[in-house]
Amino acid sequence: MQERLKELQEEAIQKIEQSASLKELNDIRVAYLGKKGPITEVLRGMGKLSAEERPVMGALVNEVREAIAVKIEAKQKALEEAAVLEKLASESIDVTLPGSPVKVGNHHPLTRIIEEIEDLFIGMGYQVAEGPEVEQDYYNFEALNLPKGHPARDMQDSFYITEEILLRTHTSPVQARTMEKHQGKGPIKIICPGKVYRRDNDDATHSHQFMQIEGLVVGENIRMSDLKGTLEVFAKKMFGDDREIRLRPSFFPFTEPSVEMDISCKICGGHGCSVCKKTGWIEILGAGMVHPNVLEMAGYDSKKYTGFAFGMGPERIAMLKYGVDDIRHFYTNDVRFLKQFSKHE
Amino acid sequence: MFVSYKWLQDYIDLTGVTATELAEKITKSGIEVEGVEILNDGIKGVVVGHVLEREQHPNADKLSKCLVDVGEEQPVQIICGAPNVAKGQKVAVATVGAVLPGNFKIKRAKLRGEESNGMICSLTELGMEGKVVPKEYSEGIFVFPAEAEVGVDALALLNRDDEVLELSLTPNRADCLSMLGVAYEVAAILGREVKLPETDLQSSTEKAADYVKIVVDAKEDNPLYVAKIIKNVEIAPSPLWMQTRLMSAGIRPHNNVVDITNYILLEYGQPLHAFDYDRLGSKEILVRRANDGEKFVTLDDTERTLTSEHLVITNGTVPVALAGVMGGANSEVTPDTTTVLLESAYFIGGTVRKASKDHGLRSEASARFEKGVDPNRVRVAGERAAYLMAKYANGEVLEGAAEADTLSVEPAVVSITLEKINRVLGTDLGMKDVKEIFDRLQFTVIVEQGTITVTAPTRRGDIKIEEDLLEEVARLYGYDNIPKTLPIGSSTPGRLSEYQKKRRFVRQYLEGVGLYQAVTYSLTSEEKATQFALEKRETIRLAMPMSEERSILRLSIMPQLLEVLKYNSARQNDSLGVYETGAVFLANGEDLLPVEKEHLAGAITGLWHSHSWQGEKKAVDFFVVKGILEGMFAKLGLAEGVQYVQAKVEGMHPGRTAEIILNGEKIGFVGQVHPSVQKELDLKDTYVFELSLKAVLEADAPVLQYEAIPRFPSITRDIALVVNKETVSGTLKEIILSSGAPLLKEVQVFDLYEGDRMEEGKKSIAFSLKYVDPERTLTDEEVTKVHDRVLEALKEQAGAVLRG
Ligand SMILES: [Zn+2]
C-alpha cells in the first residue's frame, strides 16, 4: 500500500507539472483528491490493516494528499499569473497615438497684455479703475485741460453722438472721474484699461477702436523721478531686464512736463534697424506730471498735490512683444490667430 | 518742419556738431527729429555742362543730339529726351560713371544708332520731389543761370550737399516752425549765440502811408495789420540759393516776389502776402468779416462762397484775400507787376482755422496762424522781406509802413521757487544751474532769494505758468540726469474689485471649457445693432459715422460673435466656440449718457467633441451650452437662483431657446440660432447665449458654509412617469422637491422616452429620488409615506402617473 501511495503521488505530481490550463489542473485535483479518486480508494482498503498499521498508513495518506494539494496550489498560481500576463500582452496599445483632446480656449492677446499690466501695477499698490466708453465732452476733454476750440481736440478725430456726448478718445476721463470722486484728497494710485475710439480708417497700423491703459498717481509728494522709476520697473518687467529706458520731452495738454518713453530695441540691441527706424529706440508710452489745471478742475489744490500719469496702447505692446504685424488681427478674431496666445507665461 | 543743416548755419555756428549729432541733441531736449535726410545720398558724378550744339536726332523725333561741354578737354555727345533742351543752356550732366538715385549707373550707350556719353538730368532724376520742382522745369531738364561755371559739382550748386532734419513738432512748440525759432532752440541746447538776419536798407523818400490806408473792422480777428509798399520791382526767378532752400523745405519756387514771402515764412515763421498794388484798384485795405453768401475767387481759380465767420482782406469793397489762408486771383502778383503791397499781419488762430477748414485749404501759412505767430516778429518780417525785394527784385522800398495796430504785446512773467523745481522733479539743482538754463534760452531772469522770475520772449507763447518753467528746466537739464525713484508716503492697497475678480474668473472658466475669447467692435450697422438685444431701446447713432457698417452702438454682442464664427467657418474652422465680455449701450434720452451694461455672450458651432481616430463625434447641442452655463452659475454660487424657461427670441430657434431667469429676473437667453439665420451665415448648427454679466456678477451669492456629510445611508427610489408631451421636466422636478421636503434631498432625471410605445401625445420621464435624514437611518415605511405623498402631488398637479 505504501508503494501504491508513493506511486500515486509521483504520478499526480508529474501530471500537475505537465498540465497547461486551469481546467486541466482542476481535472487532476478531482481525479486524485476527489471522493472517487485512487487515494480515497486506498483509504477504503485500510480496513484490512492491523490496528497498529492503521494510524501509520492514515498519516501517510494525509501526507500524500497534502503534497499533491500543495503542488496543485503552486501550479494554479503559476497558471493564473501566466494567464494574466497573456491577457495584458493582448491588451497592449500604441502609446504614440494622440490623446483624447481636452477643449481649452484662451485669453484674447489684448486681455492677456492688459491683465499682465494690471497685475504688475496691482503689485505696486494700484487699483483698477473703469469708466464709461461713451463720455461727456467735459470728462473726455475739458476736465483734461482741453477746452473747447483747442486744436488737439479736432471734431474730425472723435466720434461725437451729440455736441456734448462722444465715444471716449482715451481712458483719461476715468482719471478725471476718479479724481473728482476723491474730492481733492489723496492718495490715488490707479490703472485704467479700456476700449477707446477715434475717427481713423482701419488699416495695418490704425483701428477706429483700440485699447488703452493709463495710470495715475496723485499725492502730496509725487515727483518726476517717481514717474521715471515707476516706468523703468514697468518696462523691465514687461519687456525684460536687459531693456534700457529713455525719456524724451513731449507735449500733452493734460500733463506738464510731458514725456514720451522709449525702450531700447531688442532686435538690434540699440544699434539701429528697420523696426526701430534706425534709432535704436522704440516708443512705448506717453507720460508726464499731471497739469495743475487738471488737478484744480478735479478739486485738488495744485500747490499741495502733484501727480503723474502715463498711457499706452496694448495693441502696440502686443505687436512689439509678439511680433504681430497688423493691428486688424486683434479685431478679426481668426482662431488661427487667437489660439497662438494660449501658452502660459 | 524741414530744417536744412546748411541754412541753419546762417543763424548759428554749428562747428563740431554734425547733422546727426544735432538731431540726437534736439530729440533729447524736446523736439523729436523723425529723420535726417542726406540730400545727395547715393548720387555722384553730376556736373554743370554747357550745351554747345543741339540738333534733331536723325532717327528719333523726340530725341535731341547735343554737344555738351562738361569741363573736360573735349565736349561730349549726349542724346537727350527732354523737350526743353536748347543750345546755350547750362544744365546738370550725369557723366559716364556717374550714379543717380536708385543706384542707376550712367554708361556709354548708343541710342537709336547715336552715341551718348552721359545724361542731361531733370531735378526729379536728381532725387527731388516733383511737387517742389519749378513749373517751367517740371516736364524737362533743369536750366542753371547763365553764370554757372562749367564742370563744377551740379549738386553743390543745387544745395544738395546738405542734410535736412525733419522735426515733428508738438502743438506747443509753434516757435520752431521757423528757422530762427529752431536756431534759438539749438542755441539753448548748445549754449551758443543766435545771429539775426540783415534787414537794414536805404528806403525811398516816398512814404508807404501815402499809398494806402489800413482800416480793420474786425479787430478781434486781426489786431495788427502792417503793409509795406515796394515800387519798381522786376519779376524774375529768385536767386538759385533761395530756390534750392525753398525746395529743400518742400516749397515750390515761383518768382522772386512770391519766393521771398515764402522764404520769410520759413525764416521768421511769419506768413506774408504780396498783392499787386495796381490791381487792387483802390488806396485802401479794409479788413472785415465776409458777408454771408459773398463770393470770392482764390488764386487757385476756385470760387468760394463765404460766411460771416470768415475774415477777408478787401480793397474797401470786394475781397482780395481770405485772411491768412489764400490770396485772390484778382490781386495776384503777375510777371507784369511793378508795385507790391506786402502784407504782414497778426491773424487770430481760431478765425484762420475756421476758414482753412471750411474751404479745405490748409497751407504752410494757415498752419502757422492757427498755432500762433510771434507778435513781435510781424514788423521785422515785413522789413526783412522788403530788404530782400530790394536786393533780389530791384525794388524801391517806400519809407515806413501803413498800419492798423490794436495788439497789446505783454510778455509772460512767471515765477517759481527752486524748492518747487527740486520737489517736483526729484532733483537737487542749485539756483546757479537753473539760472544758466534760462540764460541759454535767452529768457530774462531775476533771482531773489529762492525764487526765480522769468520773462519769456514773445516767440515762446507756450510759457505761461510755473509748470512751463519746470518743463524747460527738466528738458534742458536732461531727463537722463533725473534720478529714478518710487513714490513714497502713505501706501495704497493694490487689488482688483470683487466684480473684476469674478469677471476674470468667468473668462478663465469659459476658456477652461473650450471657448476662445474674442474682442469685437462696439460700432455696428443699424440692422445688426438691435438683433438679439435683451432690451429694446432706441439705437444710438454717431453724428458723423465713417461708414454705415460702423454707425450705431451695439445693443448686443451676439451679431458680432456670429460674424466671428462665419469668418472662421469660411476658413475651414467650422467647429469653434467663442465668447466675449463687453459693454452694450442702452439709450437714455437725448442729452444723457447711455446706460452701459456689461454683457457676456458665447457662441458654439459645429462639432463640440471629436476624437478623430476613435471615431467619437458629438455636435454641439442645447445641453452642451446649458451645461457650460450651469457650471458657471454653480461656481459663482448662483445655481439655486437660476431657472431656464422655454421662450421665443427673435433670430432663435422657436423650440430650442430658453430665457435665463436669475432670482426672478430675466438676465439673458440660451438656445439654438434660428436655422434660417444659420443658413444665411453658412454655419452648421450653432448654439449661443447672451446675458447680462453685470446682473450675474452683482448677484448676491450665499457665503460658503460647510454642510455636514450625512452619516446615515440614503434610500433611493426610481420612478418612471407618464405625462403629457408639453409637460417639462423642470415642473415635475419642482413638484417632487416641494412635496418631498425635507427628507427628499436630491432628484435627477435619468431617462426620457418619447417613442412609439407611448400613447399619442404622451411621454415618459424617469426620476431618481434620494431620501436622507441627517440624524438617523430612515426606515422603508417612513420613505414610503413621503414617496406616496410625492406621487400623489405629481398626479394632482401634473397629471403624472407611474408608467405601468
Ligand atoms: Zn532696432
Side-chain angles (χ1 to χ4, degrees), chain B residues 260-491:
Chain B
I260 287 166
T261 61
N262 283 328
Y263 187 79
I264 297 303
L265 170 128
L266 293 173
E267 190 171 47
Y268 283 82
Q270 171 66 44
L272 304 175
H273 185 67
F275 294 99
D276 183 325
Y277 175 80
D278 297 312
R279 294 179 70 200
L280 286 174
S282 78
K283 286 188 147 199
E284 184 187 358
I285 288 288
L286 169 66
V287 185
R288 60 163 166 85
R289 289 288 186 110
N291 304 316
D292 282 315
E294 192 167 0
K295 301 270 196 272
F296 171 56
V297 179
T298 42
L299 52 76
D300 56 359
D301 287 325
T302 307
E303 188 181 76
R304 316 269 170 185
T305 305
L306 309 175
T307 75
S308 59
E309 286 181 302
H310 303 142
L311 187 70
V312 287
I313 316 299
T314 71
N315 64 358
T317 39
V318 298
V320 292
L322 188 55
V325 179
M326 193 179 260
N330 54 7
S331 56
E332 186 185 358
V333 169
T334 70
D336 304 326
T337 299
T338 57
T339 303
V340 167
L341 184 149
L342 182 70
E343 164 197 292
S344 185
Y346 188 91
F347 298 119
I348 296 299
T351 312
V352 173
R353 183 179 314 123
K354 180 83 184 113
S356 76
K357 223 168 99 178
D358 287 354
H359 297 289
L361 287 171
R362 294 205 95 130
S363 63
E364 295 275 350
S366 70
R368 281 169 177 78
F369 282 122
E370 285 177 33
K371 290 177 177 130
V373 297
D374 178 357
N376 274 333
R377 273 193 201 152
V378 176
R379 283 190 187 86
V380 67
E383 295 297 333
R384 168 77 171 155
Y387 167 85
L388 292 176
M389 285 182 197
K391 201 163 172 186
Y392 298 107
N394 295 325
E396 184 189 331
V397 179
L398 303 198
E399 198 203 322
E403 286 190 11
D405 181 7
T406 54
L407 182 64
S408 69
V409 184
E410 296 271 342
V413 180
V414 189
S415 298
I416 190 167
T417 64
L418 182 64
E419 184 272 333
K420 173 147 190 184
I421 291 173
N422 285 321
R423 176 160 53 88
V424 176
L425 298 181
T427 48
D428 192 19
L429 294 170
M431 190 55 102
K432 202 172 142 266
D433 306 318
V434 175
K435 184 176 179 297
E436 196 234 303
I437 287 170
F438 290 116
D439 286 343
R440 272 155 59 193
L441 284 162
Q442 303 196 22
F443 290 8
T444 314
V445 284
I446 301 167
V447 176
E448 267 175 324
Q449 279 142 7
T451 303
I452 186 158
T453 301
V454 171
T455 306
T458 50
R459 64 186 155 84
R460 290 295 306 273
D462 59 315
I463 305 292
K464 293 180 192 112
I465 56 172
E466 274 188 325
E467 281 69 18
D468 298 320
L469 300 183
L470 268 176
E471 180 155 34
E472 295 302 301
V473 173
R475 71 187 186 91
L476 288 168
Y477 175 60
Y479 284 98
D480 286 350
N481 300 321
I482 288 178
K484 291 167 195 165
T485 58
L486 287 174
I488 41 175
S490 57
S491 69

Side-chain angles (χ1 to χ4, degrees), chain A residues 265 268 272-273 276:
Chain A
C265 177
C268 61
C273 67
C276 57

Side-chain angles (χ1 to χ4, degrees), chain A residues 163-208:
Chain A
E163 239 169 69
E164 293 300 326
I165 295 176
L166 75 160
L167 305 194
R168 66 179 178 193
T169 57
H170 43 199
T171 52
S172 316
V174 183
Q175 302 186 2
R177 283 176 179 271
T178 306
M179 280 193 277
E180 195 179 77
K181 216 182 288 166
H182 275 70
Q183 299 190 317
K185 288 182 198 74
I188 295 178
K189 256 178 148 179
I190 52 165
I191 194 106
C192 321
K195 291 173 189 157
V196 301
Y197 306 85
R198 290 194 196 160
R199 281 183 63 94
D200 270 324
N201 279 309
D202 297 342
D203 62 26
T205 53
H206 296 85
S207 182
H208 75 276

Side-chain angles (χ1 to χ4, degrees), chain A residues 105 107-108 111 118-119 125 128 130 133-134 160 197 199 209 223-226 228 232 256 333 335, chain B residues 423-424 468 471 479 482-485 492 500 503-504 511 517 519 521-522 543-544 568 596 608 613:
Chain A
H107 272 12
H108 188 281
T111 307
E118 282 176 356
D119 290 344
V128 179
E130 295 172 73
E133 292 171 31
V134 180
Y160 274 87
Y197 306 85
R199 281 183 63 94
Q209 175 183 318
R223 304 158 293 180
M224 189 92 208
S225 55
D226 297 334
K228 195 174 167 186
E232 185 176 66
E256 177 137 28
N333 298 293
V335 69
Chain B
R423 176 160 53 88
V424 176
D468 298 320
E471 180 155 34
Y479 284 98
I482 288 178
K484 291 167 195 165
T485 58
T492 45
Q500 290 162 343
R503 179 171 53 200
R504 280 198 182 187
E511 288 158 19
Q517 187 192 18
V519 177
Y521 295 135
S522 304
M544 284 191 293
N568 282 289
E596 288 182 31
W608 178 238
W613 63 272

Side-chain angles (χ1 to χ4, degrees), chain A residues 264-282:
Chain A
S264 56
C265 177
K266 190 163 85 179
I267 293 166
C268 61
H271 302 297
C273 67
S274 62
V275 172
C276 57
K277 292 192 210 150
K278 299 193 179 147
T279 61
W281 295 96
I282 290 173

Side-chain angles (χ1 to χ4, degrees), chain B residues 57-60 63 65 77 79 109-116:
Chain B
H57 189 293
N59 307 320
L63 296 180
K65 187 166 94 176
Q77 177 172 305
I79 305 300
K110 263 199 172 160
L111 290 170
R112 294 280 182 103
E114 289 288 337
E115 194 170 297
S116 185

